[in-house]
Amino acid sequence: MPYAIGLYVFAWPWAWLSSDHVAVIRTVTATADVIAAGLLYPLVVSAWGDRRAGVFAVLAFQLAPLPFGVLGNANLANIFGQSVALVTMAAAVTWRLEPRRLASLAGFALILAWALCSHVSTVATLAGTLGLLVILYFWRGDADRRRSAASLVLATAVAAAIAWFLYYRHFSEE
């Protein structure tokens, strides 16, 4: 099964910058990782009101040893998938997701589909993380969070269908 297409489709617009396409893919992956980590700052500050904790979250994300091992193995699609998964989770907890807000729901489903098309491990980890968020929203959330949980389930089903149609159906025998 070849690597999922998310990273390569995302990097394609920058391919004209250099004839060294591996360098382009590495640069795009590293940039996506830094930008995704930067999203942690406003999330932490808005949740806890602590700027230092926000800075620490960004630094801790960048210094965690797991991405170094993945990067050392040159598994760039995996790192990119993790970055898009973080963007997806940031959207899941900050966007107002409701069945009647079709634009935000469609945007979320597209980001999620992109993450699912980025690496097969992202499918497992992101689906599990979103599933836990849905359970927590139903269990401990108010009416708004429960509506968000239902919207997350709907968007996940749509995103999974998009990812299947665009990519995974080609490898069903594998």
Side-chain angles (χ1 to χ4, degrees):
M1 181 171 190
Y3 273 78
I5 59 173
L7 168 60
Y8 308 107
V9 171
F10 189 80
W12 174 73
W14 292 281
W16 63 271
L17 290 173
S18 172
S19 61
D20 185 356
H21 293 136
V22 173
V24 171
I25 290 171
R26 285 182 179 168
T27 302
V28 166
T29 301
T31 303
D33 191 54
V34 169
I35 291 170
L39 289 176
L40 290 174
Y41 180 81
L43 288 173
V44 170
V45 170
S46 108
W48 294 338
D50 187 347
R51 292 181 182 182
R52 287 184 188 172
V55 169
F56 180 74
V58 171
L59 292 175
F61 180 86
Q62 291 299 327
L63 297 175
L66 180 61
F68 293 139
V70 174
L71 187 59
N73 292 332
N75 196 341
L76 300 176
N78 192 339
I79 292 177
F80 182 79
Q82 291 174 17
S83 299
V84 181
L86 180 54
V87 171
T88 304
M89 288 307 299
V93 299
T94 59
W95 290 7
R96 194 159 175 183
L97 297 173
E98 296 177 357
R100 62 183 176 194
R101 293 177 156 257
L102 292 179
S104 63
L105 204 55
F108 178 77
L110 289 175
I111 294 169
L112 176 55
W114 202 295
L116 298 177
C117 286
S118 294
H119 198 270
V120 70
S121 71
T122 304
V123 174
T125 58
L126 184 55
T129 305
L130 283 171
L132 182 60
L133 182 63
V134 166
I135 290 168
L136 288 173
Y137 277 3
F138 270 120
W139 180 40
R140 304 289 271 180
D142 56 7
D144 287 339
R145 292 291 183 202
R146 288 191 178 111
R147 277 192 298 278
S148 290
S151 297
L152 287 170
V153 170
L154 175 64
T156 301
V158 169
I162 291 169
W164 174 261
F165 179 75
L166 290 177
Y167 180 70
Y168 289 102
R169 71 183 170 106
H170 301 290
F171 306 102
S172 59
E173 293 180 12
E174 274 64 307

